[in-house]
Amino acid sequence: MTQADWIKAQLKDDDFSFRLASLSQRHTGLPMVILIDTKLLDNKNTPRLLFNDSYENRWQWETLYPISIDKENPILLLGEPPHNLSGNSLSLLKTWIINHYDGLIKVWNGEIFQNEFIISITKQLRNLIVW
């Protein structure tokens, strides 16, 4: 599936953008915006989140790419990485997913709310900052 095909499929889902929780760089420490999706009752999709291929603190459909939520090796679900995403940024994203796997999969499965996860990772990030 190409990114264009994926975008068309998502646009058919009226609730898609309402299910997404946006995590800015301030929340994650990553150089990109992350969007957490949740599984629907009839959803057979691979657990995933979306990321923005630009380093701006906003997103558009054309700049979103899905990546699997995996404990060992998150993979890009549309194949090739975006052209303007550095290998280092992709590596940071994969490491972040692995480190936050438990919380991300709980959000995906509806075990916790997205805002609970955001509060949790924000606290963790603040604890890493030396004042």
Side-chain angles (χ1 to χ4, degrees):
M1 175 180 281
T2 67
Q3 185 193 22
D5 293 336
W6 179 80
I7 290 169
K8 286 178 191 173
Q10 301 315 312
L11 290 175
K12 290 179 184 175
D13 180 354
D14 294 334
D15 295 329
F16 184 70
S17 61
F18 293 107
R19 291 194 317 266
L20 299 176
S22 179
L23 302 174
S24 70
Q25 295 93 329
R26 181 173 52 94
H27 293 115
T28 65
L30 294 170
M32 63 197 67
V33 174
I34 302 295
L35 297 147
I36 304 175
D37 195 3
T38 55
K39 177 175 72 173
L40 298 175
L41 293 177
D42 61 349
N43 192 340
K44 294 177 177 68
N45 287 331
T46 300
R48 66 183 180 183
L49 56 83
L50 309 169
F51 68 95
N52 189 357
D53 75 342
S54 80
Y55 299 102
E56 297 180 26
N57 197 12
R58 59 186 171 84
W59 62 272
Q60 298 173 346
W61 284 108
E62 300 80 26
T63 63
L64 292 180
Y65 289 83
I67 187 168
S68 65
I69 299 172
D70 189 276
K71 195 172 197 160
E72 297 176 6
N73 185 29
I75 59 169
L76 295 172
L77 298 176
L78 295 179
E80 292 296 314
H83 67 279
N84 60 339
L85 183 71
S86 74
N88 185 51
S89 293
L90 185 57
S91 178
L92 288 171
L93 174 59
K94 288 182 175 187
T95 300
W96 187 87
I97 292 170
I98 292 167
N99 290 340
H100 294 91
Y101 173 82
D102 292 335
L104 289 168
I105 206 69
K106 285 179 180 178
V107 171
W108 174 262
N109 289 322
E111 296 171 29
I112 64 172
F113 291 112
Q114 296 162 332
N115 63 331
E116 293 175 281
F117 177 73
I118 293 169
I119 291 167
S120 170
I121 65 167
T122 302
K123 285 181 182 176
Q124 290 173 14
L125 190 60
R126 284 185 187 149
N127 290 336
L128 294 175
I129 297 172
V130 178
W131 297 99

